Amino acid sequence: MTTLLIFLPILLFAFSESTIFSFPVTLLFILSWAGVTSGRSSILTAFFAGILIDLLTIRTLGTTALVFLGLTFLLLLYQKKFTSTHLTFFLPAAVLSVILYQLIFFKKIELWIIVTAFILAIIVRFYVVQVFLRFSKPDQMKLEI
Amino acid sequence: MDSMTSRSFSSSAIYFVFLSLISLGLFFLDSQRLLVSVRGAFDTISVPSKGVMYSFKKRLDDAFSFLTFWKNGTVKLRFLEQRVAELTVDSEKLAALERENTALRDQIGVTSPNTYTLILAQTIGFDRYLFINRGVADGVKKGMAVLSKDIFVGTVINTSWRSSSVILPTDPDSKIPVQMVKTGAKGILLGQFGSSIMMDKVVQSEELTLGDTVVTSGEGNLPRGFVVGTVEKVYKQETELFQKAEVKALLNFGHIEYVFVDATL
């Protein structure tokens, strides 16, 4: 169930990013997922989501996957350093990641992107945490809420 | 507990290195166009889905467009009515000139140079680039010009089996050699990190006039004479080597439904 509730939004967001809006909401989702699940699972999710975005946006295969992998791994390093998965630690990391992503793929950064990243990071994080708390086994959790 | 966390982190690091290497491998293979069949299989499902999503988005945009229309709609409508009247006169003049031109061509036995091989495509998405539902399988190649009603939309920048992405003149990476219709002044059209376009590298001795039409100059593998936009503002300083002009695109790229890919290349 957790897999379905995580992968279905990733699929939907990846499609939306290449058709409806150009905001990296898939990245926010992956980073939120990395905040609650094991490192291996989050790295794998980042890779597959990146490949999906590459296919949908006709980028050279592996480009977004590499960026997602790098940002997820940086978040894992950051979490290890502070030994915390709290929202106050997650938010700056998520917003910075979105800024980096925008600069790499869109070569621009606007104020609305930062504001949207901040708001969406909270919403997405809330969704992922709820899904994880309801459907995952207690020994899989690494949350500090 | 600490050793467990370290062990878990090391395993993540191994995964990270392994998957990064796979990504690099995929990057290399795709750069060499060796994964076209993979993209083809994926396009079979993704292209129709993207088409449905994008047309739904455009319908939604249309439904909410009245929110902006009530604000300045009447003024815009009056301006457009006046513009239609002016263009009708121009169109009549052009039709007469075209008839005369065809008669002259017939007399000297020259065929029209403006014969293009066009591929009709539907727009299926828009992020930094515009996505269309025609790709390698349909004969679309990188560098081909994309048009909408004889107006330049952009250039194909990436191709997949059944879809392609088009770089728009507003993109910061876009560089289009252009010239003015009335004065013949030549320059390079550069995207400006947003929606505006700047005509740059125009030598000081050339004349830039407000409202003049900007067309492709025929250099840089692009056909000559495709309309790009009109001059809105001129920046001329005697101390500078070149003068610039702000160009307004004739199309709202987010609202285009169908385009033609010029496959004459």
Side-chain angles (χ1 to χ4, degrees):
Chain A
M1 191 65 181
T2 315
T3 316
L4 188 74
L5 285 169
I6 292 301
F7 281 91
L8 212 63
I10 287 178
L11 192 71
L12 189 75
F13 288 143
F15 265 93
S16 306
E17 263 185 56
S18 60
T19 48
I20 299 171
F21 50 81
S22 54
F23 185 84
V25 69
T26 318
L27 173 66
L28 285 179
F29 212 89
I30 283 154
L31 295 178
S32 302
W33 183 232
V36 296
T37 191
S38 70
R40 276 186 306 178
S41 168
S42 47
I43 294 270
L44 261 174
T45 314
F47 173 73
F48 285 113
I51 294 292
L52 185 67
I53 300 242
D54 284 333
L55 285 166
L56 285 168
T57 55
I58 325 177
R59 284 179 194 148
T60 310
L61 225 55
T63 318
T64 317
L66 269 173
V67 172
F68 277 10
L69 281 169
L71 291 172
T72 308
F73 192 68
L74 276 175
L75 186 84
L76 292 173
L77 273 174
Y78 175 75
Q79 280 175 353
K80 191 177 178 255
K81 189 174 167 70
F82 292 99
T83 57
S84 176
T85 55
H86 196 272
L87 191 66
T88 46
F89 284 85
F90 169 74
L91 272 181
V95 173
L96 270 174
S97 302
V98 167
I99 292 172
L100 262 172
Y101 183 92
Q102 286 291 125
L103 287 174
I104 292 169
F105 292 113
F106 293 85
K107 293 189 174 176
K108 66 173 180 184
I109 184 73
E110 288 163 302
L111 184 67
W112 75 266
I113 290 170
I114 298 169
V115 177
T116 315
F118 194 81
I119 297 165
L120 277 179
I122 297 170
I123 298 168
V124 170
R125 169 83 178 184
F126 178 76
Y127 171 81
V128 172
V129 168
Q130 288 306 311
V131 167
F132 203 79
L133 286 177
R134 271 167 207 251
F135 299 103
S136 292
K137 292 166 195 163
D139 61 315
Q140 289 179 313
M141 291 182 191
K142 61 168 190 181
L143 276 175
E144 269 178 44
I145 303 162
Chain B
M1 186 68 188
D2 263 359
S3 71
M4 211 176 99
T5 317
S6 290
R7 218 182 316 139
S8 157
F9 186 77
S10 311
S11 119
S12 306
I14 292 166
Y15 260 69
F16 168 70
V17 173
F18 177 66
L19 291 174
S20 296
L21 287 173
I22 289 183
S23 300
L24 283 171
L26 287 171
F27 185 87
F28 174 75
L29 291 173
D30 202 27
S31 307
Q32 303 299 312
R33 314 290 298 165
L34 294 171
L35 297 172
V36 176
S37 51
V38 178
R39 283 195 178 270
F42 186 79
D43 280 355
T44 315
I45 316 157
S46 70
V47 171
S49 317
K50 281 175 76 177
V52 171
M53 277 180 92
Y54 194 56
S55 46
F56 174 73
K57 184 238 174 188
K58 274 190 285 191
R59 257 183 239 166
L60 213 66
D61 280 351
D62 289 344
F64 285 100
S65 62
F66 72 91
L67 288 173
T68 50
F69 184 81
W70 76 269
K71 209 173 166 185
N72 53 8
T74 322
V75 181
K76 264 190 180 170
L77 213 63
R78 268 188 214 138
F79 171 75
L80 288 173
E81 276 169 0
Q82 196 188 332
R83 208 61 197 117
V84 167
E86 288 167 8
L87 289 172
T88 311
V89 176
D90 284 354
S91 151
E92 284 307 313
K93 280 182 192 166
L94 273 175
L97 281 172
E98 203 177 327
R99 279 195 296 273
E100 194 182 310
N101 198 16
T102 314
L104 284 168
R105 280 184 186 284
D106 285 346
Q107 273 182 16
I108 56 170
V110 180
T111 51
S112 171
N114 295 332
T115 44
Y116 301 112
T117 312
L118 300 173
I119 302 166
L120 177 68
Q122 192 191 345
T123 54
I124 53 165
F126 186 33
D127 66 349
R128 175 182 171 181
Y129 305 121
L130 185 73
F131 300 109
I132 55 171
N133 70 343
R134 292 284 181 264
V136 180
D138 309 288
V140 176
K141 286 177 195 157
K142 204 173 166 178
M144 284 179 170
V146 178
L147 315 165
S148 172
K149 295 164 193 160
D150 286 341
I151 300 169
F152 182 77
V153 173
T155 317
V156 174
I157 189 164
N158 277 319
T159 51
S160 184
W161 188 244
R162 285 273 176 213
S163 59
S164 306
S165 54
V166 178
I167 185 169
L168 304 171
T170 48
D171 193 277
D173 282 345
S174 165
K175 284 180 187 142
I176 309 158
V178 289
Q179 70 179 92
M180 313 289 284
V181 170
K182 284 179 191 160
T183 62
K186 285 191 173 183
I188 304 280
L189 211 63
L190 305 168
Q192 296 293 302
F193 297 93
S195 52
S196 66
I197 325 168
M198 193 68 82
M199 184 176 172
D200 204 349
K201 309 279 182 229
V202 185
V203 288
Q204 291 284 0
S205 56
E206 306 244 48
E207 196 189 340
L208 291 174
T209 44
L210 286 177
D212 198 354
T213 310
V214 178
V215 296
T216 51
S217 64
E219 292 151 36
N221 286 331
L222 286 175
R224 192 179 175 171
F226 290 152
V227 180
V228 186
T230 51
V231 174
E232 273 219 316
K233 213 172 184 180
V234 177
Y235 301 93
K236 186 172 180 161
Q237 282 185 328
E238 298 302 329
T239 50
E240 298 275 322
L241 193 58
F242 298 108
Q243 51 178 329
K244 292 177 186 176
E246 202 177 301
V247 176
K248 190 188 176 193
L250 292 182
L251 295 167
N252 183 338
F253 299 112
H255 290 172
I256 304 171
E257 277 191 60
Y258 291 95
V259 290
F260 288 99
V261 182
D262 176 21
T264 323
L265 267 177

